[in-house]
């Protein structure tokens, strides 16, 4: 690969051009940590689910030098005992495609493990789940669990080099990640071994690697390094200051994100007597007990010369880190899962070697998990205890942190209004309910049925009614917060501007919908609700029966957590096991969904405006306040008794609301086409190596087909791409096509919602060069779904062409789609600085491209007022792109034979491809532009570039005044993909992978230039390539 004269470009985005504090967590290829790790609180989706961990243990700590004291197991070790097998492979409940072998065991030190042997896997993985999170933070060190997670990656007694773990994983094609939860912390990694037979030379390998026998050297070495997190971490004093600043930068990144602001506001409004109220991320001030981050004073990334760091006038958190590790990180509070190529016996020996030194649990320790609590007798399975009033008692509710209650009467029955940073409008109802894994709820799981009905989208549903009115963009029902002693059920509605003006009616209709569901539960004990339960149970059973094994890393992370709450043989089954409908339990659960037991949160940029203040449902009489950690602006009032009564017992229910019918898309025929007599399978053929066959090859359509004989699941995927030169012809055409895509999605929902519930999904996408139509799911119903989707596209276009007067409801959907696209497009400027920088680079390096401002100009402003986008024009443009001259490529793969694929081609031909096909010169093409090198830049921009280290520098100022972060991206353009060839592209990817770890360790870990740090290969439309180094940091 030739890079003798690379083109270099530097791009800045930020309020000021200053860089200080990091954001990437310790990771070989994935962002880790609080704000960017998987963090099951997952504020980006605001669907948060977790568990807990009280308990402590006292074990000896042995210190070395003051700066590098290590934690060790006690000197006196018991004689080596054998592991106890808790469940062998034959005991596990598996899905049909699952070919792994499993074993659950307890090591001699009491550590519970799940082993999975998968000889065919290309990726080996492991995860340790710790039942301890930020609920366990001491009062004077908010964020300690999160900070502790950071510090574990920075060296152990056996492997003291801070980058040893990451470098080892990188050398073996792997990555690591971690997340800190409210009651949990999860660590995981993967490797991609080149061998698993130890034919390679063992010289230089650690003992743990040589003793692993049949286990791959990559996995055994990674496990040996990983295990030391839980045996002897250093918590090196010289790294504290640096990592404190990393956490502080992570916190500052979150201050400008509405999802984090809203999550912390929810915590802020909970009871101070419950750990949910804690500030889990932490920052420099809280972690140093009062220290001030200020600018970095020391050189070399904020480290001093080995003495105690100043901590900005605060105190060192090291002693608390040691105490936290000693208290929480022992075998009774950890669970391990490993997936490897080797056999179970070899994996077991490897795990015993690596994790055998983990400290045992203190006497009588009981982990905060369903399994341990049942074994200890503090929970009774399959029981329905009652109180003195003969009401059902949920055993886990308010039990873990008693007498603390996160959301009691003082925290509920409130209406809260919040002003967001970006333009967004939401209405959420949080209702306090028992933990969903409570033994009373666990068998029948009534929340599934209730959530299914609340969020249903068929005609007659709340969703359908509110969409018809033009009041909402989406409605979802699920779990907002889930912990070991309480849960918040959540109805989340995104409002349109019109919906915000009519929020009184939105709330009223929502409570009417609740009342309709309650009436069915209370007064029809074995009727329609039981029917919904049974069909969901059937869908769940089918889904599990044919569930494929999935990614080993994700499996390990989830399974390690499940070991706390499920018997080993049911780890794979998990929550897919559903019992019979229990009307008594359903009624007891539903009684919690009342206004007095709920918190209503309304978010919108216009709250406080006079136009909105006319709403009856408003907190206008309350003063505005600011949450202290993230700065969310809010006000709240208690809902009046009169309003609560109206919501709880509505005088009337909108006649348009009705419960849905039963689902007709649940598959009955689950047979496999590869088992049909005419498709005899040859055992001597490896069908995995076979490529799809070109079934149809015409100027209009090329269709590829491959029937599944490997995975043997009754599922099919059908994909169609319709290429058109008209989609991206101008900013106006791409804008109209994107609006049509949104209108179509809203319109199709009522037709195909049941199909999506039953496991059949569709997607219609619009890219600059083509429309994409795909359907996937259970084979029996898929042809019908494809026909429904393709037929409706043509019917919708015809209706839209008839105009607003002929279809006023459709005109409302069009107007809403246009408003949504405008809002989303304008909100682009509030993206993170590094995302804006990446977008600006694309604008400079690719052609043709339209800028986001071009799209906005088509929807608002003087030109848009003079030539507004109309529903009729939208339909005409979409028609030209979908039904005009085009060419199509299709793929049918899965449980479908040639005959079925031919039928699909007929469906495609019946609806599309009526005009003559495109010729090659008409096919849309996008190109990459070569950036000028130094001499060329001097000719273009003048001699001033001769003195610049980088020939071309592009600077932009972040849009938001509240943006506290800056980014810089250095791009070094290489050659095109054609010039590089396959070998050059492979070398480029290899160099990019190597550069990532190097950049992260140097810029993020050592120099502390930013919390988001990455080095990667950038690929551009038209075959352009570049190496990029990216840093984002806060202002401090």
């Amino acid at each position: 690969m030739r890079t003798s004269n690379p083109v270099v470009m530097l791009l800045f985005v930020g309020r000021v051009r200053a860089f200080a504090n990091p954001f990437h967590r310790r990771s070989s290829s994935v962002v880790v940590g609080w704000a960017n790790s998987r963090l099951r609180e997952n504020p980006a989706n605001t669907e948060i689910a977790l568990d807990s961990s009280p308990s402590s243990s006292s074990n000896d700590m042995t210190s070395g030098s003051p700066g590098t004291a290590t934690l060790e197991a006690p000197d006196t070790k018991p004689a080596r005992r054998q592991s106890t097998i808790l469940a062998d492979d034959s005991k596990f409940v598996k899905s049909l495609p699952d070919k792994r072998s499993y074993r659950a065991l307890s090591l001699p030190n009491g550590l519970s493990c799940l082993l999975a042997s998968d000889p065919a896997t290309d990726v080996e993985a492991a995860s340790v789940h710790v039942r301890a999170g930020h609920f366990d933070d001491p009062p004077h060190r908010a964020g300690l669990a999160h900070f502790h997670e950071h510090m574990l990656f920075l060296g152990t007694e056996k492997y003291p080099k801070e980058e040893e773990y990451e470098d080892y994983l990188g050398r073996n094609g792997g990555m690591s990640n971690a997340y800190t939860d409210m009651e949990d912390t999860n660590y995981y990694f993967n490797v991609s071994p080149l061998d698993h037979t130890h034919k390679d030379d063992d010289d230089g390998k650690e003992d743990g690697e040589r003793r692993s026998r049949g286990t791959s050297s990559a996995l055994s070495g990674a496990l040996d390094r990983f295990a030391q997190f839980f045996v002897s971490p250093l918590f090196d004093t010289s790294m504290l200051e640096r990592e404190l600043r990393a956490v502080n930068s992570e916190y500052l990144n979150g201050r400008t994100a509405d999802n984090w602001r809203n999550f912390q506001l929810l915590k802020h409004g909970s009871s101070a007597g419950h750990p949910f109220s804690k500030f889990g991320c932490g920052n420099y001030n809280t972690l140093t007990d009062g220290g001030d981050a200020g600018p970095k004073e020391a050189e070399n990334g904020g480290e001093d010369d080995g003495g105690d760091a100043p901590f900005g006038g605060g105190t060192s958190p090291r002693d608390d880190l040691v105490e936290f590790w000693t208290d929480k990180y022992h075998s009774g509070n950890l669970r391990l899962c490993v997936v490897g190529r080797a056999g179970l016996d070899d994996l077991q020996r490897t795990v015993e070697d690596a994790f055998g030194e983990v400290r045992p649990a203190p006497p009588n320790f009981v982990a905060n998990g369903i399994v341990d609590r049942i074994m200890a007798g503090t929970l009774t399975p399959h029981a329905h205890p009652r109180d003195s009033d003969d009401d059902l008692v949920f055993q886990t509710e308010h039990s873990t942190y008693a007498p603390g209650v996160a959301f009691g009467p003082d925290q509920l029955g409130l209406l809260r209004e919040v002003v967001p940073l970006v333009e967004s409008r939401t209405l959420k109802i949080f209702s306090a309910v028992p933990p969903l894994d409570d033994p009373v709820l666990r068998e029948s799981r009534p929340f599934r049925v209730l959530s299914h009905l609340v969020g249903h989208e068929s005609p007659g549903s709340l969703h359908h009614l509110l969409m018809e009115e033009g009041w909402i963009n989406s409605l979802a029902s699920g779990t907002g917060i889930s912990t070991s002693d309480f849960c918040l059920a959540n109805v989340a509605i995104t409002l349109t501007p019109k919906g915000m003006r009519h929020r009184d009616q939105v709330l009223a209709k929502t409570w009417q919908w609740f009342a309709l569901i309650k009436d069915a539960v209370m007064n029809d004990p074995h009727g329609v609700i039981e029917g919904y339960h049974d069909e969901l149970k059937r869908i769940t059973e089918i889904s599990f029966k044919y569930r494929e094994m999935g990614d080993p890393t994700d499996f390990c992370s989830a399974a390690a957590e499940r070991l706390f709450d499920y018997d080993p043989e049911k780890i794979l089954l998990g929550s897919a096991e559903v019992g019979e409908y229990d009307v008594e339990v359903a009624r007891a659960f539903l009684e919690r969904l009342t206004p007095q037991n709920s918190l209503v949160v309304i978010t919108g940029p216009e709250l406080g405006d006079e136009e909105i203040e006319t709403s009856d449902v408003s907190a206008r009489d309350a003063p505005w306040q600011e949450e202290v950690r993230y700065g969310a602006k809010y006000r709240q009032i208690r809902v009046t008794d009169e309003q609560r009564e109206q919501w709880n017992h509505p005088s009337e229910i909108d006649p348009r609301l009705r419960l849905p019918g039963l689902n007709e898309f649940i598959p009955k025929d689950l047979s496999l086409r590869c088992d049909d007599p005419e498709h005899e399978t040859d055992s001597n053929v490896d069908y995995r190596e076979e490529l799809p066959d070109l079934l149809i090859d015409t100027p209009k359509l090329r269709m590829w087909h491959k029937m599944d004989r490997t995975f043997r699941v009754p599922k099919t995927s059908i994909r169609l791409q319709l290429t058109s030169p008209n989609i991206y012809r101008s900013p106006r055409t791409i804008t109209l096509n994107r609006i049509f895509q949104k209108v179509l999605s809203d319109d199709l929902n009522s037709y195909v919602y049941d199909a999506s519930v039953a496991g059949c999904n569709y997607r219609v996408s619009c890219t600059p060069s083509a429309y994409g139509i795909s359907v996937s799911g259970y084979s029996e119903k898929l042809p019908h779904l494809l026909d429904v989707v393709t037929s409706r596209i043509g019917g919708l276009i015809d209706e839209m062409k008839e105009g607003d007067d002929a279809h006023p409801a459709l005109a409302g959907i069009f107007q809403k789609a246009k408003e949504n696209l405008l809002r989303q497009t304008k909100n682009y400027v509030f993206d993170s600085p590094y995302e804006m920088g990446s977008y600006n680079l694309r604008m400079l390096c690719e052609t043709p491209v339209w800028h986001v401002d071009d799209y906005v100009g088509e929807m608002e402003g003087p030109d848009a007022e003079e030539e507004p986008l109309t529903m009729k024009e939208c339909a005409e443009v979409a028609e030209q792109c979908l039904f005009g001259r085009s060419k199509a490529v299709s793929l049918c793969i899965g449980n479908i034979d040639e005959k079925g694929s031919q039928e699909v081609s007929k469906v495609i031909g019946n609806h599309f491809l009526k005009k003559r096909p495109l010729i090659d010169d008409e096919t849309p093409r996008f190109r990459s532009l070569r950036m000028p090198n130094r001499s060329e830049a001097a000719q273009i921009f003048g001699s001033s570039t001769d003195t610049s280290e980088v020939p071309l520098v592009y600077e932009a100022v972040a849009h938001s005044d509240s943006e506290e972060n800056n980014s810089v991206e250095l791009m070094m353009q290489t050659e095109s993909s054609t010039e590089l060839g396959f070998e050059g592209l492979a070398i480029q990817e290899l160099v990019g992978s190597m550069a990532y770890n190097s950049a992260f360790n140097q810029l993020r870990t050592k120099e502390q230039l930013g919390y988001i740090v990455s080095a990667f290969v950038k690929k551009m439309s038209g075959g352009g390539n570049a190496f990029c180094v990216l840093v984002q940091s806060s202002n401090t």
Side-chain angles (χ1 to χ4, degrees):
M1 175 171 46
R2 299 187 298 276
T3 57
S4 57
N5 187 22
V7 176
V8 182
M9 175 179 176
L10 193 62
L11 185 142
F12 297 96
V13 178
R15 295 305 307 170
V16 296
R17 291 193 295 276
F19 311 105
N21 303 334
F23 163 71
H24 243 359
R25 234 323 275 141
R26 302 285 304 178
S27 168
S28 295
S29 64
V30 177
V31 177
V32 184
W34 185 271
N36 291 72
S37 59
R38 196 161 56 90
L39 184 67
R40 295 189 10 107
E41 294 156 354
N42 193 11
N45 297 322
T46 64
E47 296 294 313
I48 309 164
L50 305 104
D51 290 314
S52 86
S53 168
S55 292
S56 62
S57 66
S58 58
N59 287 276
D60 295 335
M61 181 190 77
T62 304
S63 299
S65 64
T68 59
T70 62
L71 305 179
E72 299 175 344
D75 292 337
T76 303
K77 298 179 182 178
R80 187 178 180 95
R81 296 182 290 115
Q82 289 188 338
S83 298
T84 302
I85 295 180
L86 305 176
D88 221 332
D89 186 59
S90 61
K91 301 293 185 182
F92 283 82
V93 181
K94 301 182 190 180
S95 64
L96 289 179
D98 192 344
K99 305 306 180 186
R100 292 173 180 152
S101 299
Y102 297 93
R103 178 179 296 169
L105 66 150
S106 176
L107 300 187
N109 57 10
L111 176 62
S112 295
C113 312
L114 176 66
L115 308 179
S117 172
D118 184 0
T121 186
D122 294 323
V123 175
E124 299 181 306
S127 174
V128 167
H129 196 85
V130 188
R131 192 43 59 91
H134 78 252
F135 278 15
D136 301 290
D137 289 346
H140 63 291
R141 301 276 186 204
L144 185 74
H146 175 213
F147 182 54
H148 178 275
E149 173 223 309
H150 278 235
M151 291 298 298
L152 276 194
F153 286 81
L154 301 181
T156 62
E157 182 186 34
K158 187 173 182 179
Y159 300 102
K161 289 175 58 179
E162 64 180 85
E163 67 275 10
E164 169 63 31
Y165 177 61
E166 308 288 349
D167 284 352
Y168 182 87
L169 296 178
R171 292 196 304 272
N172 287 278
M175 51 75 66
S176 70
N177 208 336
Y179 64 82
T180 302
D181 252 347
M182 292 183 283
E183 299 176 292
D184 305 83
T185 306
N186 189 279
Y187 304 86
Y188 54 95
F189 73 83
N190 67 39
V191 290
S192 301
L194 295 177
D195 80 287
H196 62 287
T197 58
H198 276 283
K199 294 179 181 177
D200 52 337
D201 189 359
D202 278 344
D203 290 345
K205 290 185 170 58
E206 298 289 340
D207 289 343
E209 296 173 61
R210 287 196 293 268
R211 290 198 303 266
S212 59
R213 300 170 179 86
T215 306
S216 71
S217 58
L219 179 60
S220 58
L223 285 170
D224 196 52
R225 289 161 175 79
F226 185 44
Q228 296 305 304
F229 287 19
F230 315 100
V231 176
S232 58
L234 290 177
F235 297 127
D236 193 332
T237 301
S238 66
M239 300 178 188
L240 292 177
E241 177 74 14
R242 207 174 60 194
E243 212 60 29
L244 284 166
R245 293 182 178 277
V247 172
N248 195 64
S249 186
E250 193 173 349
Y251 156 70
L252 292 174
N253 272 277
R255 279 184 56 87
T256 56
D258 279 322
N259 42 25
W260 283 107
R261 292 160 70 95
N262 293 337
F263 177 56
Q264 185 60 35
L265 181 57
L266 191 64
K267 294 165 72 66
H268 175 75
S270 66
S271 169
H274 191 280
F276 180 72
S277 64
K278 292 183 177 182
F279 169 42
C281 178
N283 57 27
Y284 193 97
N285 177 267
T286 64
L287 287 166
T288 57
D289 197 14
D292 179 13
K296 291 183 291 185
E297 298 177 359
E299 296 296 326
N300 194 26
E303 298 177 15
D304 59 12
D305 59 2
D308 289 336
F311 302 114
T315 60
S316 170
R318 188 180 189 280
D319 289 345
D320 288 306
L321 285 170
V322 171
E323 182 178 352
F324 186 90
W325 185 89
T326 305
D327 191 27
K328 305 298 181 185
Y329 280 56
H330 55 75
S331 65
N333 213 34
L334 310 178
R335 300 292 185 268
L336 168 68
C337 180
V338 179
V339 173
R341 291 176 176 175
L344 291 171
D345 291 340
D346 290 326
L347 290 175
Q348 178 175 330
R349 284 189 288 265
T350 302
V351 166
E352 288 169 341
D353 286 344
F355 286 85
E357 295 182 48
V358 173
R359 295 170 302 125
N364 303 318
F365 175 80
V366 178
N368 184 21
I370 299 296
V371 172
D372 278 28
R373 294 174 71 179
I374 288 176
M375 291 178 62
T378 58
L379 289 181
T380 305
H382 313 299
H384 287 187
R386 298 179 180 277
D387 60 17
S388 57
D389 295 327
D390 201 36
D391 293 329
L392 280 177
V393 174
F394 298 99
Q395 300 174 56
T396 57
E397 188 173 29
H398 306 153
S399 63
T400 309
Y401 307 103
V405 175
F407 289 89
D410 292 341
Q411 291 78 39
L412 299 171
L414 300 174
L415 171 70
R416 178 178 299 156
E417 296 179 339
V418 184
V419 177
L421 290 177
V422 302
E423 185 182 351
S424 62
R425 299 167 183 86
T426 62
L427 188 157
K428 296 183 180 181
I429 301 174
F430 296 95
S431 300
V433 297
L436 302 187
D437 268 339
D438 187 277
V440 175
L441 297 171
R442 200 169 191 181
E443 184 172 349
S444 62
R445 302 188 183 275
F447 183 68
R448 285 189 176 185
V449 177
L450 301 177
S451 179
H452 167 68
L453 292 175
V454 171
H456 213 281
E457 300 180 11
S458 65
S461 66
L462 174 67
H463 178 277
H464 190 266
L465 185 154
L466 298 179
M467 289 286 283
E468 271 196 335
E469 294 285 357
W471 293 342
I472 70 169
N473 295 314
S474 67
L475 185 155
S477 174
T479 305
I481 301 288
S482 180
T483 76
S484 64
D485 79 338
F486 83 95
C487 179
L488 290 182
N490 178 29
V491 179
I493 301 172
T494 58
L495 300 170
T496 63
K498 181 181 178 182
M500 179 62 80
R501 296 191 295 272
H502 293 84
R503 57 181 173 155
D504 290 12
Q505 292 94 319
V506 174
L507 269 169
K509 305 297 183 191
T510 302
W511 288 107
Q512 289 174 27
W513 186 235
F514 284 178
L516 193 64
I517 297 171
K518 284 182 182 180
D519 180 69
V521 173
M522 300 299 181
N523 301 318
D524 190 10
H526 298 291
V528 66
I529 302 297
E530 185 171 9
Y532 299 139
H533 174 92
D534 291 344
E535 72 175 15
L536 289 178
K537 180 181 178 182
R538 174 62 177 154
I539 291 170
T540 302
E541 289 171 348
I542 295 172
S543 177
F544 174 75
K545 184 177 181 179
Y546 296 103
R547 187 172 70 196
E548 298 173 63
M549 293 184 292
D551 176 70
T553 314
D554 292 341
F555 170 80
C556 282
S557 180
E561 179 178 9
R562 269 192 229 130
L563 282 167
F564 279 100
D565 296 315
Y566 291 94
D567 293 329
E569 60 271 17
K570 293 186 177 180
I571 286 288
L572 308 177
L573 183 61
S575 60
E577 183 179 31
V578 182
E580 299 302 316
Y581 178 64
D582 190 323
V583 65
E584 187 178 33
V585 174
R587 287 170 176 171
F589 188 91
L590 197 57
E591 286 174 353
R592 303 299 185 90
L593 305 184
T594 62
Q596 58 268 29
N597 195 49
S598 300
L599 169 67
V600 178
V601 181
I602 300 174
T603 302
E606 62 271 74
L607 288 171
D609 292 350
E610 290 185 6
E611 182 181 359
I612 296 297
E613 292 295 349
T614 59
S615 172
D616 292 336
V617 182
S618 173
R620 59 179 170 270
D621 294 333
W624 287 106
Q625 304 178 61
E626 186 174 292
E627 190 276 321
V628 64
R629 299 296 183 189
Y630 286 84
K633 181 181 177 181
Y634 75 100
R635 63 188 181 188
Q636 65 184 32
I637 60 167
R638 184 157 296 281
V639 178
T640 64
D641 292 342
E642 179 184 4
Q643 186 65 73
R644 282 204 305 269
E645 181 63 23
Q646 289 178 6
W647 287 345
N648 211 17
H649 300 98
S651 57
E652 62 177 1
I653 294 178
D654 193 304
R656 293 173 291 175
L657 293 174
R658 64 182 184 277
L659 295 178
L662 296 180
N663 196 327
E664 297 180 356
F665 275 87
I666 300 175
K668 295 181 177 134
D669 179 7
L670 298 169
S671 60
L672 300 176
R673 298 288 68 78
C674 61
D675 289 341
D676 292 344
E678 62 269 29
H679 302 305
E680 183 177 351
T681 299
D682 186 345
S683 59
N684 296 318
V685 176
D686 186 354
Y687 291 101
R688 294 174 301 176
E689 302 295 327
E690 287 192 349
L691 298 175
D693 295 322
L694 183 57
L695 194 62
I696 298 174
D697 187 7
T698 68
K700 290 185 177 181
L701 173 66
R702 288 167 61 86
M703 174 174 279
W704 301 83
H705 164 258
K706 183 177 181 180
M707 184 173 67
D708 169 45
R709 298 175 186 265
T710 303
F711 301 101
R712 297 183 59 82
V713 292
K715 295 181 179 179
T716 298
S717 175
I718 301 171
R719 297 188 178 185
L720 170 66
Q721 178 178 290
L722 292 165
T723 300
S724 170
N726 298 313
I727 298 174
Y728 205 66
R729 190 175 62 236
S730 68
R732 192 174 186 87
T733 58
I734 184 65
T735 299
L736 287 167
N737 277 292
R738 286 170 175 164
I739 292 173
F740 177 77
Q741 179 187 352
K742 289 180 176 293
V743 173
L744 177 65
S745 178
D746 280 354
D747 180 81
L748 277 174
N749 209 48
S750 60
Y751 290 88
V752 299
Y753 178 75
D754 276 348
S756 66
V757 171
C760 294
N761 300 293
Y762 84 95
R763 184 167 185 261
V764 178
S765 60
C766 176
T767 68
S769 60
Y771 266 95
I773 301 173
S774 64
V775 293
S776 60
Y778 295 107
S779 311
E780 179 192 11
K781 305 291 184 178
L782 220 55
H784 176 59
L785 176 60
L786 177 64
D787 191 48
V788 168
V789 171
T790 53
S791 297
R792 187 54 195 154
I793 290 174
L796 178 64
I797 286 176
D798 289 341
E799 292 175 15
M800 292 175 68
K801 286 166 62 178
E802 292 173 3
D804 296 8
D805 294 338
H807 300 280
L810 190 56
I813 294 175
F814 170 81
Q815 184 62 32
K816 186 186 72 173
K818 185 169 68 172
E819 291 173 354
N820 286 339
L821 183 61
L822 176 61
R823 173 179 54 81
Q824 293 164 2
T825 306
K826 291 171 68 175
N827 278 347
Y828 136 83
V829 296
F830 294 101
D831 285 350
S832 297
Y834 80 91
E835 294 174 300
M836 290 182 61
S838 180
Y839 179 84
N840 289 335
L841 272 180
R842 177 172 169 257
M843 292 294 104
L844 292 170
C845 298
E846 296 180 11
T847 186
V849 285
W850 307 116
H851 193 273
V852 65
D853 291 342
D854 299 325
Y855 305 140
V856 172
E858 295 291 346
M859 292 181 279
E860 74 171 10
D863 292 340
E865 292 177 2
E866 185 175 338
E867 289 187 75
L869 304 178
T870 66
M871 186 170 74
K872 182 179 179 181
E873 182 188 9
C874 179
E876 291 170 345
V877 168
E879 182 179 42
Q880 187 179 28
C881 296
L882 284 161
F883 301 106
R885 293 184 60 204
S886 65
K887 62 180 179 180
V889 177
S890 179
L891 171 66
C892 299
I893 190 166
N895 189 41
I896 185 171
D897 56 16
E898 288 189 11
K899 180 180 177 182
S901 297
Q902 293 285 0
E903 292 299 320
V904 170
S905 71
K906 292 179 182 178
V907 172
I908 295 172
N910 288 339
H911 297 292
F912 306 108
L913 311 180
K914 302 294 187 182
K915 302 288 182 68
R916 63 186 179 90
L918 296 177
I919 60 175
D920 286 344
D921 288 345
E922 293 176 295
T923 302
R925 289 180 173 84
F926 297 86
R927 293 181 290 277
S928 297
L929 300 176
R930 187 173 67 83
M931 295 294 101
N933 58 28
R934 187 181 302 279
S935 60
E936 292 168 339
Q939 295 177 12
I940 298 171
F941 301 107
S943 58
S944 61
T945 59
D946 289 339
T947 58
S948 173
E949 292 185 12
V950 179
L952 184 59
V953 178
Y954 180 95
E955 298 179 346
V957 177
H959 181 81
S960 174
D961 291 335
S962 61
E963 181 59 66
E964 299 180 4
N965 302 291
N966 316 276
S967 79
V968 59
E969 183 173 343
L970 177 66
M971 185 187 81
M972 295 164 282
Q973 196 172 52
T974 59
E975 294 176 326
S976 71
S977 297
T978 302
E979 293 172 306
L980 289 174
F982 290 120
E983 183 178 358
L985 289 170
I987 294 173
Q988 180 176 260
E989 290 296 331
L990 179 62
V991 173
S993 178
M994 295 168 62
Y996 176 86
N997 284 342
S998 175
F1000 186 89
N1001 290 331
Q1002 182 65 33
L1003 303 180
R1004 189 314 199 164
T1005 302
K1006 294 179 180 178
E1007 297 188 37
Q1008 293 278 288
L1009 294 182
Y1011 187 67
I1012 293 180
V1013 173
S1014 187
F1016 54 93
V1017 173
K1018 182 187 287 287
K1019 294 183 178 297
M1020 291 163 274
S1021 296
N1025 295 276
F1027 283 120
C1028 292
V1029 180
L1030 168 70
V1031 178
Q1032 177 170 300
S1033 66
S1034 61
N1035 294 336
T1036 57

